[in-house]
Amino acid sequence: MLLAAHLDRVASALAAKNGAQLADLLSLTHRPVPLDVAALSLDQITQLCATKLGRFQAFAEVVAGVLHARKQVLQETFSDAYDSQIASFVKFMEIFRTETNWLVPFLHVLTVDTRLLAARADREASERAGDEVHDRLRGAEQQLKKGFSMTANDRAPAEHNKKLGALFIVNQLFKIYFKLNMIHLCRNLIRAVEGPAFPEFERFSKSDKVTYQYYVGRISMFEDQYHKAEQCLDYAWKHCHQHSLRNKRMILRFLVPVKLLLGVMPSPQLIQDYALDEYTGLTNAIRTGNLRLFNEYLDRFQDNFIQQGVYLLIEKLRLVVMRNLFKKVYLVRQSHQLRLRDFQVALQLVMGADQPPMAMDEIECILTNLIFQGYLKGYMSHQKKVLVVSKTQPFPAITDVSS
C-alpha cells in the first residue's frame, strides 16, 4: 500500500478516536500492513506524516517514528529501529497522559513492539560485542513502567479510565524481567495487581488473565510456593484457548512437574496429546520408587529440562522417588521399627548389582530430609541404625504434604 493512502486511514482513525484501528494500522509485529516505506527516505516519511496528519501534529511525530522503525527493520538495522521506536513511545506517552482510554489499544501495540525491538537490538549488539548486551531492554523497561503507572493510577471516570490497560503492560514487563533474569522485580508488580486500588481481576480480558497467571505461577514455582504455582498454572491451563496447543503445552511444561511434586500424576493421554515424552519414564519412576529409572530419564532429558527452566524442580522429585521406595520397605516389613540396612538393600536392588551400595550416612541424610519435609513421620536412632515410624499414617499422602 502507498504510504500516503495508509496515512489517510491513520488520520481517519485518529479523527474517530478509534484506538483499535490505529493499533492495527501501526503495528510493527502483529500482521503489519505492507507499505512502500523502503523506497522512501526518513525525511520523506517525516514530511509525508506532517502533511497528511497536519490536524494531529503531536501524533504526526509518533507515527513518523513508528514508520522510521519499520523502514529500519526492513534494512535490518535493529538498533536504529529501536531508537526510532523508543523515541516514538516517549512522545506518545506525553499525549497519552492527557487522553482517555481510547488510546489504550495503541499503547499496547507500542508496548509489545518496543519490547520486541529492544530484544532484537540487544541481540544485534551482543553479536557485535561477543558478549550479552541488554542495554535496550533495560531502557525499554524504564519506559514501559511509565506506561504501567499511567494506566494503573488513572483517576478518570469509569467510562474514560485507563486502568483496564494495566494488566497487559504488567505481562510485558514480566517478559522483560524473565529475559533479564530479574524475576525478583516481578513481585512489585504482583503487589500492585493484588492491591485494593487495582481493578477486579475478572474485569480484564481472558488473554491478559491467562498470561498473568502463567507468569505468576512460574514466579511462585521459583520461590518454592508450589501450591500457589499449581493454582495459577492450573488457571492458565483451564482458561487458555482450547486451540492454542503451543501455549497449552508451554503451560504444561511447568504445571506437570509442579503437580508431580505435589503428588498428582499426569495421565498417559495427556502426555501423549501434548508430546510430553520426557515425563513418561519419570512418572513411572516416581510411582514405583525406581531411582535408577529416574536417574536415567533425568540424564537423558537434562538439556530439555535446563532449557525449560525446570531442572532444579525435577531434581527435587528425587526425594519423592525415595519416599515411595522406602514406603515399599515399610509395607514389606509391616513393622514400625525398620533397620536402615533394609533401605540400603532396597536401594541396591533398584540400582542394580553393578552399582556400589549407598553409604549408610547418605541413607540417614535422605531419611532426615524425608522427615523434615513431612514425607515421613518418625524418628531415627543413629546409634542403633533404626528408623522408628509413626503408628498412624507414617507416609502421609504427598498431596497432603505442605510445600
Side-chain angles (χ1 to χ4, degrees):
M1 178 184 289
L2 293 175
L3 183 56
H6 183 71
L7 289 173
D8 286 337
R9 295 174 66 186
V10 171
S12 296
L14 288 170
K17 293 194 172 184
N18 189 333
Q21 184 183 12
L22 188 66
D24 288 340
L25 289 169
L26 295 175
S27 173
L28 290 178
T29 56
H30 180 65
R31 292 180 295 185
V33 178
L35 294 173
D36 63 340
V37 291
L40 301 173
S41 69
L42 296 181
D43 287 341
Q44 287 174 319
I45 292 172
T46 301
Q47 184 58 46
L48 200 52
C49 288
T51 302
K52 288 289 185 178
L53 304 176
R55 289 187 297 155
F56 313 99
Q57 186 175 358
F59 279 101
E61 293 182 44
V62 174
V63 175
V66 170
L67 294 174
H68 288 175
R70 177 177 290 202
K71 176 181 174 65
Q72 289 154 339
V73 166
L74 292 174
Q75 295 172 330
E76 296 189 354
T77 54
F78 296 104
S79 294
D80 292 338
Y82 169 75
D83 291 341
S84 297
Q85 178 72 16
I86 199 68
S88 182
F89 187 94
V90 170
K91 182 63 181 176
F92 173 77
M93 293 310 296
E94 295 174 8
I95 301 170
F96 188 66
R97 185 182 302 277
T98 57
E99 283 287 353
T100 61
N101 56 7
W102 74 273
L103 275 174
V104 165
F106 184 49
L107 170 64
H108 287 174
V109 160
L110 280 178
T111 299
V112 173
D113 290 346
T114 299
R115 176 182 65 81
L116 293 175
L117 274 180
R120 187 63 186 86
D122 279 342
R123 193 155 68 247
E124 181 182 71
S126 298
E127 290 167 359
R128 285 200 304 265
D131 195 9
E132 281 200 20
V133 175
H134 295 300
D135 294 344
R136 268 77 173 191
L137 207 53
R138 290 192 179 96
E141 181 259 349
Q142 292 298 314
Q143 296 303 324
L144 264 59
K145 282 197 301 187
K146 294 177 183 177
F148 168 70
S149 178
M150 210 172 287
T151 51
N153 298 323
D154 189 27
R155 299 191 178 186
E159 64 270 22
H160 300 302
N161 198 280
K162 306 167 187 170
K163 284 190 174 185
L164 290 181
L167 193 63
F168 181 94
I169 303 174
V170 167
N171 292 334
Q172 297 303 310
L173 285 166
F174 279 166
K175 293 178 182 182
I176 290 177
Y177 292 143
F178 270 76
K179 180 72 174 177
L180 295 177
N181 197 24
M182 299 168 67
I183 299 173
H184 62 283
L185 294 179
C186 296
R187 186 51 61 185
N188 296 330
L189 295 171
I190 294 171
R191 278 195 289 269
V193 172
E194 294 178 350
F198 210 74
E200 291 181 12
F201 190 70
E202 290 306 316
R203 293 180 61 195
F204 292 95
S205 71
K206 180 180 284 190
S207 61
D208 285 351
K209 290 186 292 186
V210 167
T211 303
Y212 177 80
Q213 294 283 20
Y214 166 74
Y215 278 104
V216 174
R218 289 185 62 183
I219 293 161
S220 300
M221 185 188 78
F222 290 132
E223 295 175 346
D224 295 337
Q225 298 178 21
Y226 299 119
H227 288 294
K228 173 72 171 177
E230 180 193 30
Q231 176 187 345
C232 294
L233 291 168
D234 209 43
Y235 180 100
W237 161 255
K238 289 176 179 175
H239 292 83
C240 184
H241 195 285
Q242 61 178 343
H243 297 307
S244 299
L245 297 182
R246 177 179 172 274
N247 289 344
K248 290 179 83 72
R249 188 171 188 273
M250 192 161 57
I251 295 167
L252 285 173
R253 283 178 174 175
F254 301 98
L255 181 57
V256 168
V258 166
K259 281 188 173 290
L260 283 172
L261 200 62
L262 296 176
V264 180
M265 298 287 175
S267 68
Q269 190 64 49
L270 183 76
I271 290 175
Q272 180 181 331
D273 289 347
Y274 292 94
L276 301 170
D277 301 334
E278 61 267 37
Y279 289 104
T280 304
L282 277 180
T283 52
N284 291 336
I286 293 167
R287 188 180 290 109
T288 60
N290 190 328
L291 184 60
R292 180 166 188 152
L293 182 62
F294 178 84
N295 289 340
E296 288 174 356
Y297 265 81
L298 193 60
D299 290 342
R300 180 177 170 185
F301 292 101
Q302 177 176 320
D303 292 342
N304 295 50
F305 292 138
I306 291 173
Q307 187 177 12
Q308 293 168 19
V310 297
Y311 180 81
L312 294 178
L313 187 61
I314 299 294
E315 180 64 44
K316 289 183 178 182
L317 290 168
R318 186 185 304 276
L319 201 59
V320 179
V321 177
M322 291 292 198
R323 177 259 185 206
N324 291 342
L325 176 62
F326 289 177
K327 183 180 179 181
K328 285 186 174 182
V329 174
Y330 164 73
L331 292 174
V332 169
R333 287 299 187 191
Q334 289 293 306
S335 171
H336 297 292
Q337 295 189 23
L338 303 168
R339 296 179 304 160
L340 301 194
R341 170 65 181 159
D342 291 338
F343 298 123
Q344 189 179 45
V345 170
L347 282 164
Q348 188 67 34
L349 288 172
V350 168
M351 296 302 293
D354 58 326
Q355 297 294 317
M358 185 176 288
M360 199 62 74
D361 286 347
E362 191 172 350
I363 292 173
E364 288 185 19
C365 182
I366 292 168
L367 288 168
T368 300
N369 280 333
L370 287 170
I371 293 169
F372 177 75
Q373 296 198 27
Y375 290 115
L376 170 61
K377 292 196 293 186
Y379 63 91
M380 188 167 43
S381 170
H382 172 74
Q383 185 176 6
K384 295 181 179 179
K385 303 295 182 186
V386 168
L387 173 72
V388 180
V389 298
S390 171
K391 292 184 178 181
T392 57
Q393 204 177 11
F395 290 86
I398 297 173
T399 51
D400 296 334
V401 176
S402 59
S403 300

